[in-house]
């Protein structure tokens, strides 16, 4: 689940639009976000005027530190630096790592504990620990089936203080649940998402497969994840070209 400002920073098309409107690079805009009050911004990015100076300075500081690292954090395939970019150094999360996911070399796994009981998530694409309201609190002999039955259309799938998403459509395919979700935030740049849920070491492990600019992209890859790509008749979708 990506947030709006980090998408602005990483999206070269939108950055070019901002530069065309202001004559400034995105780094200079972040140094003084109030300059945007003087410009007539397009509706899809007009919300940036509400970002305060402290948030923009923290964002720029973390981006600069990230860029200057010897081994910088990788940008995910979905084009997101992760929501860590908004946080001051003292507020970066201390992750709780579950047992049973240790790597052979003894390094920390990508799997971290979520905020809901019995839930974990892959932090390589999902850095902020999230709540999963539909996640079963009691484990039975059919854990995935139980979770699948809880995921009704319109229910909240995941949430943090920064974002939340609702269930659009689900599928139980082999050993995983596939969730097509929609952001509940107004003017989200990538409103649609595809996530998978597997049951590993007595935990429901949530992974982000991709986030999408357009719903048709989520529709296509919802089929692809089920091995039903031959049912898609819409050809190449926008998010395949990004």
């Amino acid at each position: 689940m990506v947030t709006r400002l980090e998408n602005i920073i990483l999206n070269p098309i939108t950055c070019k639009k901002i530069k065309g409107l202001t004559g400034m690079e995105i780094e200079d805009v972040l140094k003084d976000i109030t300059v945007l009050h003087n410009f007539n911004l397009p509706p899809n990015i007009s919300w940036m005027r509400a970002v305060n100076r402290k948030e923009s300075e923290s964002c720029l500081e973390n981006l600069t530190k990230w860029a200057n690292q010897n081994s910088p954090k990788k940008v995910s395939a979905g084009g997101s630096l992760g929501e860590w970019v908004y946080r001051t150094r003292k507020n970066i999360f201390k992750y709780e790592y579950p047992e049973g996911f240790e790597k052979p070399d003894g390094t920390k796994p990508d799997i971290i504990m979520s905020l809901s009981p019995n839930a974990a998530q892959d932090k390589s694409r999902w850095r902020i620990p999230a709540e999963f309201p539909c996640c079963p609190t009691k484990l039975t002999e059919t854990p995935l089936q139980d979770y699948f039955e809880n995921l009704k259309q319109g229910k909240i799938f995941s949430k943090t203080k920064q974002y939340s998403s609702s269930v659009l459509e689900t599928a139980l395919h082999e050993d995983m649940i596939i969730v097509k979700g929609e952001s509940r935030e107004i003017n989200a740049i990538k409103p649609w998402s595809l996530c998978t849920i597997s049951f590993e070491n007595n935990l429901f492990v949530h992974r982000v497969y991709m986030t999408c600019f357009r719903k048709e992209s989520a529709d296509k890859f919802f089929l692809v994840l089920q091995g039903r790509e031959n049912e898609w008749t819409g050809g190449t979708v926008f998010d395949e070209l990004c």
Side-chain angles (χ1 to χ4, degrees):
M1 312 310 181
V2 296
T3 54
R4 294 177 292 178
L5 186 56
E6 69 186 48
N7 268 304
I8 289 293
I9 294 167
L10 291 175
N11 188 325
I13 297 174
T14 310
C15 283
K16 188 173 182 180
K17 288 181 180 178
I18 292 176
K19 183 177 180 180
L21 286 167
T22 65
M24 302 170 65
E25 299 291 346
I26 190 67
E27 294 89 345
D28 295 322
V29 172
L30 287 173
K31 289 177 183 177
D32 184 8
I33 200 77
T34 61
V35 299
L36 296 180
H37 295 170
N38 302 320
F39 297 94
N40 183 23
L41 301 180
N44 64 323
I45 59 172
S46 60
W47 55 267
M48 287 186 68
R49 296 194 196 97
V51 177
N52 64 45
R53 185 186 294 272
K54 183 177 180 181
E55 290 170 333
S56 64
E57 288 177 351
S58 178
C59 181
L60 178 60
E61 178 187 0
N62 287 328
L63 281 172
T64 302
K65 290 178 179 178
W66 171 82
N68 291 332
Q69 288 178 11
N70 291 329
S71 300
K73 298 178 189 290
K74 294 182 179 179
V75 175
S76 68
S80 169
L81 282 175
E83 293 178 25
W84 60 272
V85 77
Y86 296 107
R87 302 186 171 274
T88 58
R89 299 296 292 179
K90 65 181 180 180
N91 287 331
I92 292 179
F93 287 103
K94 293 182 179 179
Y95 297 116
E96 180 182 350
Y97 294 92
E99 296 181 1
F101 290 90
E102 292 79 7
K103 294 182 178 180
D105 61 2
T107 58
K108 294 292 186 182
D110 290 330
I111 304 300
I112 60 171
M113 293 301 296
S114 303
L115 300 181
S116 296
N118 303 322
Q121 62 200 69
D122 185 342
K123 78 177 180 73
S124 65
R125 297 288 304 278
W126 209 331
R127 291 186 173 275
I128 294 183
E131 293 180 58
F132 298 96
C134 295
C135 185
T137 57
K138 295 182 180 180
L139 300 181
T140 71
E141 295 181 356
T142 55
L144 282 179
Q145 183 66 40
D146 296 340
Y147 200 162
F148 179 70
E149 292 176 359
N150 289 346
L151 292 165
K152 305 297 184 183
Q153 186 177 24
K155 291 274 192 179
I156 295 177
F157 170 55
S158 66
K159 64 178 181 178
T160 69
K161 291 182 179 179
Q162 286 73 30
Y163 70 84
S164 61
S165 66
S166 298
V167 177
L168 277 182
E169 193 173 359
T170 58
L172 185 56
H173 177 66
E174 296 180 346
D175 294 327
M176 68 178 178
I177 300 171
I178 304 165
V179 180
K180 178 167 61 177
E182 181 177 13
S183 173
R184 298 167 65 91
E185 313 309 314
I186 298 174
N187 295 328
I189 290 180
K190 283 189 171 182
W192 294 280
S193 60
L194 289 168
C195 301
T196 63
I197 306 167
S198 56
F199 190 68
E200 306 170 33
N201 297 317
N202 289 320
L203 289 172
F204 294 99
V205 181
H206 302 75
R207 294 180 172 90
V208 175
Y209 176 74
M210 70 184 300
T211 55
C212 304
F213 289 101
R214 296 185 180 174
K215 184 176 180 296
E216 66 174 9
S217 303
D219 292 340
K220 176 176 181 175
F221 284 96
F222 183 70
L223 293 175
V224 170
L225 281 170
Q226 298 175 68
R228 298 166 53 196
E229 55 267 32
N230 60 319
E231 298 179 27
W232 179 254
T233 58
T236 301
V237 292
F238 179 81
D239 287 86
E240 290 181 277
L241 305 175
C242 297

